[in-house]
Amino acid sequence: AQSVTQLGSHVSVSEGALVLLRCNYSSSVPPYLFWYVQYPNQGLQLLLKYTTGATLVKGINGFEAEFKKSETSFHLTKPSAHMSDAAEYFCAVTYTGTASKLTFGTGTRLQVTL
Amino acid sequence: DTGVSQDPRHKITKRGQNVTFRCDPISEHNRLYWYRQTLGQGPEFLTYFQNEAQLEKSRLLSDRFSAERPKGSFSTLEIQRTEQGDSAMYLCASSLPILETQYFGPGTRLLVL
């Protein structure tokens, strides 16, 4: 069964500091990986996705993630945090043959302080 | 492209009552998914449709839950005899065929008293 682990349920950074949100997945076949962001009382918005090809993926709002097969990781980064980045972030995985249903991690709440 | 819409956004009901939620996907998307998200957790898959056919249901979907997509457009999710454990955010998503991005609606937050 596919699974996703997000290390750190809460991460706090200062405005302007590096953001690093961790995601590890378990897989016996090549995964498709996603990062979504959720603002309070809203649905999920796609930040970026990895399917095939280039392992460094750039997304919206200055976020990027790198697929590392050897480490089974897909960590999300942003060089400089902004107050508007404060939200809940979810990593998700799917695989060929799973009808594209997504398996999500438990989420990481990002707090950005002045 | 008006995005995925869900109605209502909020629902408060008493235990034992039936509730129905509606999801309108992006118009050209033939796949439609329902997820449930409880407090502090990530969304969990409930069921999905390709056009009007319901192709998979999670074990999370008890007999009290039923979903339909009668004309391959909008979908409804009904919960019969609600229980307090049904309190959650119910999310709908739609996509083009397999492995394309899922676009989520704003969700329906259900509170069962």
Side-chain angles (χ1 to χ4, degrees), chain A residues 37 45-48 58-64 78:
Chain A
V37 61
Q45 180 184 7
L46 180 72
L47 281 176
L48 49 79
K58 295 187 184 298
I60 62 171
N61 301 338
F63 285 93
E64 62 182 37
K78 181 174 180 178

Side-chain angles (χ1 to χ4, degrees), chain B residues 65-109:
Chain B
F65 287 70
S66 63
E68 295 182 342
R69 193 182 183 196
K71 296 182 180 179
S73 57
F74 72 91
S75 175
T76 58
L77 178 68
E78 180 183 16
I79 309 174
Q80 295 182 328
R81 306 181 302 281
T82 52
E83 301 173 356
Q84 288 183 326
D86 297 331
S87 296
M89 173 82 89
Y90 290 84
L91 294 163
C92 176
S94 71
S95 74
L96 290 170
I98 193 165
L99 293 171
E100 292 294 331
T101 303
Q102 291 182 30
Y103 295 89
F104 283 80
T108 294
R109 185 169 294 281

Side-chain angles (χ1 to χ4, degrees), chain A:
Chain A
Q2 59 204 43
S3 67
V4 172
T5 301
Q6 290 185 243
L7 294 176
S9 58
H10 290 84
V11 170
S12 181
V13 300
S14 301
E15 190 173 36
L18 172 72
V19 175
L20 170 61
L21 305 182
R22 299 178 185 275
C23 173
N24 289 86
Y25 64 92
S26 67
S27 166
S28 58
V29 296
Y32 288 24
L33 294 155
F34 303 80
W35 276 100
Y36 283 87
V37 61
Q38 186 176 37
Y39 297 98
N41 297 312
Q42 294 187 24
L44 282 73
Q45 180 184 7
L46 180 72
L47 281 176
L48 49 79
K49 65 179 181 181
Y50 168 79
T51 54
T52 58
T55 56
L56 182 61
V57 180
K58 295 187 184 298
I60 62 171
N61 301 338
F63 285 93
E64 62 182 37
E66 186 171 10
F67 170 61
K68 292 187 176 181
K69 182 179 178 180
S70 61
E71 298 177 8
T72 61
S73 70
F74 191 57
H75 301 330
L76 182 71
T77 61
K78 181 174 180 178
S80 177
H82 191 272
M83 295 296 289
S84 61
D85 295 327
E88 186 99 25
Y89 291 79
F90 293 95
C91 182
V93 65
T94 190
Y95 306 92
T96 304
T98 62
S100 304
K101 60 184 179 184
L102 294 169
T103 298
F104 286 86
T106 53
T108 298
R109 181 167 299 281
L110 176 65
Q111 181 182 18
V112 182
T113 59
L114 289 172

